[in-house]
Amino acid sequence: MGLGPSIKMTTLHHYRCPLVEVATKDNDIEIVGIIVSGVSESYDDKVYSAKRVGDIAKALQVDGALVAIDGWGNHHIDFVNIIESLGKNDISSIGLSFIGLQGRLVCTNQYIDCIIDINKGTTGYESCMVGENNLTDYDAKKAVAILKNKLSKQQRLNNINSNKELRVGKLTKKVFTINEVTFGEKTELIDNKLIIRKNIARTFISFDKRIKQIKVNIIKPHEHNIFVNSNLDCMPIACKYSGELGEGVTHELAGVTVMVTGVKIGTGYQPANIGSSEGVLKDRVYFDRAGTPGTSDYIIHIDFSFFDGEGRTADGVIGAHRLADLIVQEIRGVLVKVDNIPYKKYEYYDVRKPDKAKVVIVKIVSGLGKYV
C-alpha cells in the first residue's frame, strides 16, 4: 500500500517541481542539491537508504532539509527514517506528505516535528483523480517559510541582508510553443506544428514481449470527454541540445504533453496500487497542476495493452515506460535539430550564496528502490 493516483509525482511533476522552483528562488537560503531516494521493500533496506541520505546530507554540510514523498502507509517508514537520519546529523527538516484522514503516519520519532499535509481533497482520503493531491507551490512556500523559521531560531539563518552571490553555471532553455499536433508521413516540426509519423507504434511493438498492443492517439485541447485507461505517467518533451547535465542548452516543447496509460488484455485489469484512474479523462485528471497536462495542451496519448499477468508486474510496467520513451525519442530527435522556429528563452544559473543557510531537497520516490 502507499501510492495512489492523486498523489503520485509524475515525470512531468519532477520536471516542473514546485518545491524546487520555490526553494531555489528564495533569497535567504542556498539549495545545494537534490537527493532522490527510492522506497524500499524490506525494513533493512529502508534503514540503509535512510542512513545513506543522512550521510550525503552531512557531507554536503547543510543546515536544513525539505523532505517530500508521494506515498504513505508503508512508504512513511522510509519518510520517517530519513527525517530521523537527518536529525541525528543535526540537520533540521520539514516534511511534505499526503496525510488527510487516510495517510496518518504508521510510525514516528523525536525528530518528526513538522509535516506539511499536501491533501487537497475534501474527504481526506486518496482519490482516483491524477494530480488532485499533488504538492503545489503553496505547499512549497509554507515548507520553506517554516524551515527558515526553525533555522532562524537555531541561529543558522544569518546574514539575510547579504547579497553576495557567485554564479558558477548556466543553463539556457529554449521553449518552442506547439499550436497543432497531427499525424503524417514522418515525424517533423514545421513552424509551430508537430507532425507524428502515423503507425509509429508498429516500429516498437515487438521490442517487449510483455506488451500486446500500443495505441498512439492525439487528444486535442479541451476535448477531454473520452475514456482512458489507468494513468501510468505524464511526461514533458524536452532534450539536451548542447552541454552537460545542468548546463548548456535545452530544447523544450510547450503546448503538448505525453500521457501514458495501460490495461491488461482479457481481464481489463488496470495497473494500479491504491485505486486505478481509468474513466472519463476530464473526471480522472486534475488538469493544470505541475504534474498534469494543461487544459489547453495537446496530449499525445500512448496506451498499452499488457499480456495476461504482465499488468501486475514491475517488469511489465517498466517495459511500457521504455517503449513510451522510444516513441517520444523520435520526437526529441527532431526537436534537437530545430533552429528556425520562434521560441522563448529562459536562463537559469547555479548560484552559490556563501553567507546563507545551506538546504538540501530530499525526494522519496515510490518504487522498489534499494539505493540512493
Side-chain angles (χ1 to χ4, degrees), residues 88-108:
K88 287 180 176 179
N89 284 298
D90 196 28
I91 299 169
S92 297
S93 62
I94 300 296
L96 299 99
S97 174
F98 169 80
I99 302 293
L101 296 177
Q102 187 178 23
R104 289 172 289 185
L105 296 180
V106 298
C107 57
T108 187

Side-chain angles (χ1 to χ4, degrees), residues 151-187:
L151 295 176
S152 178
K153 290 180 179 179
Q154 297 168 357
Q155 296 186 340
R156 294 182 177 183
L157 197 69
N158 300 319
N159 301 316
I160 60 174
N161 295 321
S162 172
N163 294 318
K164 187 177 180 180
E165 292 185 352
L166 177 64
R167 292 181 175 182
V168 296
K170 175 183 175 182
L171 170 68
T172 300
K173 187 163 67 173
K174 296 180 179 179
V175 180
F176 305 86
T177 298
I178 296 301
N179 297 327
E180 183 181 0
V181 181
T182 187
F183 289 110
E185 295 302 316
K186 65 177 183 178
T187 301

Side-chain angles (χ1 to χ4, degrees), residues 18 28 231 292 307:
D28 298 330
N231 185 278
T292 60
F307 278 109

Side-chain angles (χ1 to χ4, degrees), residues 97-315:
S97 174
F98 169 80
I99 302 293
L101 296 177
Q102 187 178 23
R104 289 172 289 185
L105 296 180
V106 298
C107 57
T108 187
N109 58 59
Q110 68 188 79
Y111 300 99
I112 307 295
D113 58 6
C114 183
I115 298 176
I116 305 297
D117 185 0
I118 65 173
N119 172 58
K120 308 294 186 301
T122 58
T123 66
Y125 287 81
E126 177 65 270
S127 80
C128 293
M129 192 171 188
V130 179
E132 181 181 21
N133 288 317
N134 267 178
L135 189 159
T136 64
D137 58 348
Y138 181 65
D139 301 318
K141 289 176 181 177
K142 287 195 293 184
V144 170
I146 296 172
L147 179 60
K148 285 167 58 176
N149 185 53
K150 290 180 70 174
L151 295 176
S152 178
K153 290 180 179 179
Q154 297 168 357
Q155 296 186 340
R156 294 182 177 183
L157 197 69
N158 300 319
N159 301 316
I160 60 174
N161 295 321
S162 172
N163 294 318
K164 187 177 180 180
E165 292 185 352
L166 177 64
R167 292 181 175 182
V168 296
K170 175 183 175 182
L171 170 68
T172 300
K173 187 163 67 173
K174 296 180 179 179
V175 180
F176 305 86
T177 298
I178 296 301
N179 297 327
E180 183 181 0
V181 181
T182 187
F183 289 110
E185 295 302 316
K186 65 177 183 178
T187 301
E188 57 185 333
L189 277 164
I190 301 177
D191 295 328
N192 296 98
K193 181 178 181 180
L194 171 62
I195 302 172
I196 302 172
R197 177 167 57 91
K198 59 184 178 182
N199 300 321
I200 188 173
R202 292 183 182 178
T203 305
F204 305 107
I205 185 60
S206 63
F207 283 33
D208 196 301
K209 62 183 180 180
R210 303 171 185 84
I211 307 299
K212 170 68 174 178
Q213 187 179 53
I214 310 173
K215 295 179 182 178
V216 180
N217 305 306
I218 297 169
I219 302 174
K220 295 181 179 180
H222 308 289
E223 296 186 3
H224 303 146
N225 194 29
I226 59 172
F227 178 87
V228 294
N229 286 309
S230 194
N231 185 278
L232 301 178
D233 201 9
C234 293
M235 301 185 291
I237 302 177
C239 64
K240 176 62 68 177
Y241 176 77
S242 64
E244 301 297 329
L245 182 67
E247 61 181 32
V249 179
T250 292
H251 284 188
E252 177 186 333
L253 294 184
V256 57
T257 299
V258 177
M259 182 178 71
V260 184
T261 61
V263 66
K264 190 171 69 173
I265 284 291
T267 64
Y269 170 79
Q270 301 281 336
N273 189 342
I274 296 180
S276 56
S277 57
E278 80 279 3
V280 178
L281 180 59
K282 65 181 179 65
D283 300 324
R284 287 294 178 263
V285 172
Y286 199 110
F287 286 88
D288 299 308
R289 284 273 163 89
T292 60
T295 51
S296 59
D297 281 358
Y298 280 86
I299 298 174
I300 300 173
H301 178 206
I302 306 175
D303 186 56
F304 291 92
S305 295
F306 297 92
F307 278 109
D308 187 37
E310 297 298 343
R312 292 179 177 270
T313 67
D315 288 340

Side-chain angles (χ1 to χ4, degrees), residues 55-100:
D55 291 344
I56 293 172
K58 181 180 179 180
L60 291 171
Q61 298 182 327
V62 299
D63 301 292
L66 298 162
V67 183
I69 187 171
D70 66 351
W72 48 277
N74 180 59
H75 294 54
H76 271 158
I77 299 174
D78 301 78
F79 181 65
V80 167
N81 282 348
I82 284 176
I83 292 176
E84 180 181 39
S85 180
L86 292 166
K88 287 180 176 179
N89 284 298
D90 196 28
I91 299 169
S92 297
S93 62
I94 300 296
L96 299 99
S97 174
F98 169 80
I99 302 293

